[in-house]
Amino acid sequence: MTRRIKLRTLMLGGLLTLLFVGLFGRIYWVQVANAAFWEKQARETWMTSKKLPQERGMILDRDGKVLAADASAYTLAVSPSKIHELEEAHPEWRLLDQIVSKIHLVLGKPESEVRAIVNATKGDGTYYEQREVRPEGWKMDKEVADRLKAFKDQMSKLTGKSDVGIYFIEDKKRYYPNGSLASQILGFENKDGEAKMGLEKTMNDELKGEPGEIKYEKDGIRTQLPDGKVEVKQAVDGKNVTTTIDRDIQFYMEEALREAYQKYNPVSITAIAADPKTMDILGMVSLPDFNPNAYWLTTNQEAFKNNAIQSVYEPGSTFKIVTLAAAVQEGLFNPNATYKSGSISISSKDRPIHDHNYVGWGTISFLEGLKRSSNVAFVKLGYEMLGKEKFKEYINKFGFGAKTGIELQGEVLGKTTLTWNRDYASATFGQGVTVTPIQQVAAVAAVANGGKLMKPHIVKAITDPATGQKTTIEPEVVRQVISEETSKKVGEYLEQVVSDQEIGTGRNAYIPGYRIAGKTGTAQVVENGVYSEDKYVVSFIGYAPVDDPKIVLYVLVDRPDDKFAGGGSVAAPIFKQIMGQSLQHLGVMPELPKEEEGKAADNAGSSPVPVTTTVPDVTGMTVAQAKSELAGRSFDAQVIGRGTKVLQQLPKKGSVIPTDQSIYLVTENEVGSVPDMKGLSLRDALEMCSLLEASCTAKGEGYVVAQESAQRNGKLAVTLTLAPPGQAAAAGQEAEAPAGEDANGDKAGEGGTGGSSGQSGNGSGDDYPSG
């Protein structure tokens, strides 16, 4: 018995010994042999990480003015569990009802939806700890968040509790300080941080940057350990994209087009302005448009379509510029040679092609045919003299039938396929082919700049804010299309289309003191394969000054609500308004006859002064010197700040403005007050905010009628209220409405043909007139 017990004891002892040997072996294996591996595993358990957000790159205009940038935003969240806890403890506070009502009023979210969020429960019937209020409370502007924060403070005072179940999550959002300005170019970034359309999408790789990350060791309640390991990967901010856009010219274009949009109620209206020497796009507008700050409120999906590059139209008579340039280049255009206008037959099988007034003007010169926009003249030039193959060669040389390659997605291709003789003949005056507005501008820019077809650009430079490294996009010549001599001759001929105030179809684009070359276009819209009798696409394209072109400008109005609409009566006045403002903005002075220079003299007999003059450069001068210099040019000066020297000025040097407009002189780097901006246009008010380094938001359209300013996060913030000219004047403000234009009812003087919006017809068997 005793022996049996001893045996069992030995076996148990041996078993325990083996167990401890195995245990110590395992401990050695873990703690010593594989210590590094298990230490790494442990640290990963202790480690936590947090994203470091990057700054998305800014989009700037050509002068560095901000068009798009990141801004602070806040997301609203509520705690159903906390709100119900307080509600049950103190029903007399009616906390739940007050919170629901306030969120509904501030965000415009239906009360039923807000109440559903506040009452949200889990599967086990308990209330959620936190729920975000989406989409209305997602990435709110600071002004909206401030109203809700003030309400939260009121509830805290009422309850005596710092936590009332309302929370604000700091975030960032994309902000467009100019509202809808250039929205078709910029595109937008949605609340999920996804770049949509425009430059935001095409330049996303450069703009987006890379987020960073911080990893640190934590204890059981996620508090960072004082001596713990920390790993940091710094965020890489996105690069800034400088565009070719001139914000002022873009503003002039949108202002003029919105007036026309309200007046004519068209399907759409499009304009492009470019520097013909470089094909830098100075402005690009497509209406209807949208506000990228509130893109979700736009219900018309056509507002997200940039017709400048994404729609095709039959150009009508603006295409005659191509035929004219080709004929001049080949030595076939004799302005004094004559022909019989009225109609022309291509073959016995085809119906004759007529001039837009059907009967013509008898025997006239080819130059007069150009001025009157005679179809017959261009059939003779392009079809009979040039010939089909040579004419088609020039169409291709001018870039039609190929995409321009501009840095915007969605560019489409027009139709330039010609088959029958009638197709070629009709194409000479712009019928049966379809083109995009950007193709038209590039082609006419080649005529203006000495014959070089340039690749359009809307991106000027890309800059890394961290290193300062800058990549500049240089002008790119595609090919030489015509000679410089031909370019000069064609410009002189097209100038007469505008300057001849008796028969020139472009006479409504004439601006005294400026040499403008241009051409009208009126194209009938194709519907179900047939040209409409009362729907037109009207346009005007031109450039100025003829001898040294600074701007090529194209205006296209798609189906205006006017049965007498024509390129000369509708599009030319819009062109005139934009071109006049833009040339003055660029410092191009009108060359008026001396007898007209003194027309601004007042009735009291004082010495005459010019209506407009160039703003001198007074930066660096003392205030007294600057005032004296400006007074010599009839300008009044308003001083901002208490300094003795002028640091900045508005408007900038070289601007051509009316002498009754004040010049603002900034004398301090930091200005604590904002001058009275009532009566200023939005453009000038935004420029003032830029000089003051203040953020600016605007409500309404037109001219400033009220303003508010405040310090927010150590930065000056200005809120402007604007009203249209009439309302601004009624409010006691001085505002000039754009001068009206007389329509010459040129439909009878120009005619029309063509299709639009991707529709086209070859015109075979049709004898509709064309302009």
Side-chain angles (χ1 to χ4, degrees):
M1 190 70 177
T2 303
R3 185 178 177 184
R4 189 179 299 171
I5 292 172
K6 287 181 178 180
L7 183 60
R8 289 179 179 176
T9 302
L10 285 173
M11 290 178 65
L12 180 61
L15 184 61
L16 290 174
T17 300
L18 288 173
L19 181 63
F20 275 102
V21 169
L23 177 61
F24 283 121
R26 181 62 179 169
I27 291 173
Y28 177 82
W29 179 259
V30 171
Q31 297 283 5
V32 180
N34 275 348
F37 171 78
W38 291 108
E39 182 184 11
K40 181 181 178 182
Q41 293 294 101
R43 286 191 178 279
E44 288 183 2
T45 303
W46 304 334
M47 295 287 284
T48 189
S49 64
K50 185 171 71 172
K51 291 289 185 183
L52 298 176
Q54 78 275 32
E55 191 91 8
R56 187 173 175 84
M58 294 187 292
I59 302 178
L60 312 167
D61 89 333
R62 66 189 300 113
D63 296 321
K65 298 167 187 170
V66 178
L67 301 177
D70 280 358
S72 296
Y74 301 85
T75 295
L76 174 66
V78 296
S79 173
S81 62
K82 188 65 180 178
I83 293 172
H84 279 274
E85 176 188 327
L86 294 173
E87 180 76 10
E88 291 170 6
H90 298 279
E92 70 276 8
W93 290 342
R94 299 185 62 248
L95 184 65
L96 190 149
D97 287 339
Q98 290 196 62
I99 290 175
V100 169
S101 178
K102 190 65 176 182
I103 293 175
H104 159 67
L105 290 173
V106 174
L107 300 182
K109 190 174 183 67
E111 279 196 51
S112 59
E113 294 182 14
V114 178
R115 195 172 294 275
I117 294 173
V118 174
N119 290 329
T121 57
K122 305 175 187 176
D124 59 3
T126 59
Y127 292 106
Y128 279 101
E129 293 298 322
Q130 184 170 305
R131 302 288 283 179
E132 291 184 1
V133 180
R134 292 197 178 195
E136 294 84 355
W138 188 18
K139 293 191 177 182
M140 302 176 294
D141 290 334
K142 185 177 183 299
E143 291 75 11
V144 178
D146 285 344
R147 292 176 62 188
L148 292 170
K149 286 180 179 179
F151 169 72
K152 177 185 176 182
D153 292 340
Q154 292 175 2
M155 294 299 98
S156 294
K157 289 180 181 179
L158 171 67
T159 62
K161 307 285 185 180
S162 60
D163 185 358
V164 293
I166 302 175
Y167 312 114
F168 298 91
I169 304 167
E170 290 195 24
D171 204 344
K172 287 184 178 180
K173 66 180 291 185
R174 202 63 167 163
Y175 179 61
Y176 304 87
N178 304 299
S180 60
L181 188 83
S183 61
Q184 300 282 355
I185 300 170
L186 300 174
F188 63 93
E189 184 187 67
N190 67 16
K191 290 190 176 185
D192 286 320
E194 299 170 336
K196 299 290 185 180
M197 68 176 286
L199 289 175
E200 292 283 19
K201 186 171 184 179
T202 57
M203 303 301 293
N204 187 54
D205 289 343
E206 289 76 15
L207 291 166
K208 66 181 180 181
E210 294 182 11
E213 186 179 43
I214 180 170
K215 292 183 177 181
Y216 59 89
E217 294 181 3
K218 68 181 187 308
D219 59 16
I221 57 174
R222 300 183 66 84
T223 302
Q224 183 177 352
L225 297 176
D227 299 321
K229 185 178 179 181
V230 178
E231 298 176 6
V232 179
K233 177 188 175 185
Q234 295 294 344
V236 178
D237 291 340
K239 297 177 181 179
N240 296 331
V241 174
T242 300
T243 68
T244 61
I245 297 299
D246 186 307
R247 192 185 69 180
D248 293 340
I249 292 177
Q250 181 76 20
F251 178 82
Y252 299 146
M253 294 170 68
E254 293 197 14
E255 189 176 45
L257 264 61
R258 288 190 199 283
E259 292 175 8
Y261 195 81
Q262 293 177 356
K263 180 177 180 180
Y264 296 109
N265 191 32
V267 171
S268 66
I269 185 168
T270 305
I272 303 174
D275 180 344
K277 297 174 184 175
T278 62
M279 266 311 288
D280 283 356
I281 303 299
L282 303 176
M284 180 184 286
V285 185
S286 179
L287 299 182
D289 62 355
F290 63 98
N291 184 346
N293 292 313
Y295 61 88
W296 57 89
L297 298 179
T298 302
T299 56
N300 183 359
Q301 293 304 303
E302 290 299 311
F304 297 105
K305 184 179 182 182
N306 186 350
N307 292 304
I309 64 169
Q310 294 177 321
S311 290
V312 295
Y313 306 88
E314 285 201 10
S317 289
T318 56
F319 203 73
K320 290 175 180 175
I321 295 176
V322 174
T323 308
L324 174 65
V328 174
Q329 178 66 27
E330 296 296 324
L332 301 174
F333 182 78
N334 181 351
N336 299 317
T338 60
Y339 72 98
K340 177 68 173 176
S341 64
S343 65
I344 186 171
S345 295
I346 302 303
S347 69
S348 59
K349 296 180 181 179
D350 291 312
R351 301 166 93 181
I353 292 174
H354 294 275
D355 280 323
H356 50 76
N357 68 348
Y358 206 80
V359 296
W361 304 270
T363 300
I364 60 175
S365 70
F366 277 93
L367 181 58
E368 183 176 345
L370 171 64
K371 294 180 187 180
R372 294 187 181 276
S373 197
S374 165
N375 296 336
V376 174
F378 284 87
V379 172
K380 285 184 170 293
L381 289 171
Y383 180 75
E384 292 186 352
M385 297 184 189
L386 274 172
K388 295 187 297 183
E389 296 305 318
K390 182 64 69 173
F391 174 58
K392 185 64 167 67
E393 179 184 328
Y394 274 98
I395 291 177
N396 294 333
K397 279 185 176 181
F398 273 104
F400 298 105
K403 295 181 180 180
T404 65
I406 191 170
E407 305 97 333
L408 291 172
Q409 287 188 337
E411 183 181 6
V412 298
L413 199 58
K415 169 189 169 293
T416 57
T417 303
L418 305 175
T419 305
W420 308 105
N421 290 339
R422 177 65 180 241
D423 298 344
Y424 286 92
S426 298
T428 63
F429 53 87
Q431 183 182 39
V433 293
T434 58
V435 302
T436 62
I438 191 65
Q439 287 177 323
Q440 278 273 82
V441 172
V444 174
V447 173
N449 66 21
K452 298 180 179 68
L453 181 67
M454 308 291 295
K455 179 181 178 180
H457 281 294
I458 206 161
V459 175
K460 192 174 184 66
I462 301 169
T463 307
D464 188 333
T467 64
Q469 183 178 359
K470 183 176 181 179
T471 302
T472 302
I473 287 78
E474 299 294 340
E476 183 178 340
V477 179
V478 178
R479 69 180 69 90
Q480 186 81 30
V481 182
I482 56 176
S483 67
E484 288 190 22
E485 182 182 359
T486 296
S487 170
K488 182 179 178 181
K489 287 181 179 179
V490 174
E492 291 172 350
Y493 297 143
L494 291 175
E495 181 181 8
Q496 296 182 59
V497 175
V498 177
S499 62
D500 191 323
Q501 294 297 290
E502 292 185 7
I503 64 173
T505 56
R507 57 189 176 273
N508 276 347
Y510 176 73
I511 305 174
Y514 291 110
R515 295 183 61 192
I516 297 172
K519 188 72 191 73
T520 53
T522 305
Q524 287 172 287
V525 175
V526 175
E527 291 185 325
N528 300 320
V530 179
Y531 286 114
S532 170
E533 293 285 353
D534 58 358
K535 294 179 182 178
Y536 301 90
V537 174
V538 300
S539 58
F540 190 94
I541 193 166
Y543 54 91
V546 171
D547 54 345
D548 184 20
K550 303 295 184 185
I551 303 176
V552 55
L553 175 62
Y554 184 42
V555 176
L556 181 146
V557 185
D558 186 2
R559 284 163 279 182
D561 188 14
D562 181 351
K563 63 181 180 180
F564 299 111
S569 61
V570 173
I574 303 171
F575 173 97
K576 175 181 179 178
Q577 179 180 336
I578 298 170
M579 181 61 80
Q581 292 174 315
S582 299
L583 289 172
Q584 290 187 7
H585 168 69
L586 296 176
V588 181
M589 292 287 290
E591 297 180 1
L592 294 169
K594 289 186 177 181
E595 60 269 19
E596 296 185 21
E597 291 182 354
K599 287 185 178 180
D602 57 43
N603 294 330
S606 62
S607 59
V609 294
V611 176
T612 61
T613 191
T614 305
V615 177
D617 184 6
V618 296
T619 55
M621 296 184 183
T622 65
V623 172
Q625 289 173 333
K627 284 186 172 181
S628 175
E629 177 71 19
L630 293 170
R633 302 201 187 192
S634 303
F635 287 120
D636 181 39
Q638 292 193 29
V639 180
I640 303 172
R642 299 179 181 179
T644 58
K645 283 192 174 183
V646 179
L647 304 180
Q648 297 184 77
Q649 68 181 72
L650 175 71
K652 59 188 177 182
K653 66 175 181 179
S655 300
V656 180
I657 62 171
T659 54
D660 59 358
Q661 181 173 330
S662 295
I663 308 297
Y664 295 90
L665 308 177
V666 180
T667 62
E668 290 181 311
N669 286 321
E670 294 185 4
V671 180
S673 60
V674 180
D676 185 4
M677 293 191 280
K678 293 176 183 176
L680 290 183
S681 68
L682 176 60
R683 176 180 60 84
D684 287 338
L686 290 174
E687 185 73 26
M688 175 63 71
C689 291
S690 177
L691 287 180
L692 299 176
E693 296 184 354
S695 62
C696 182
T697 56
K699 303 174 183 177
E701 296 180 357
Y703 297 82
V704 178
V705 295
Q707 67 186 73
E708 295 178 2
S709 59
Q711 291 286 340
R712 294 173 184 162
N713 297 326
K715 186 176 181 180
L716 189 62
V718 180
T719 301
L720 304 173
T721 302
L722 297 93
Q727 297 178 28
Q733 310 301 323
E734 292 185 9
E736 282 191 357
E741 302 292 347
D742 293 329
N744 70 351
D746 75 328
K747 181 189 171 188
E750 190 190 351
T753 185
S756 74
S757 303
Q759 301 178 9
S760 65
N762 63 17
S764 297
D766 296 323
D767 59 357
Y768 289 103
S770 172

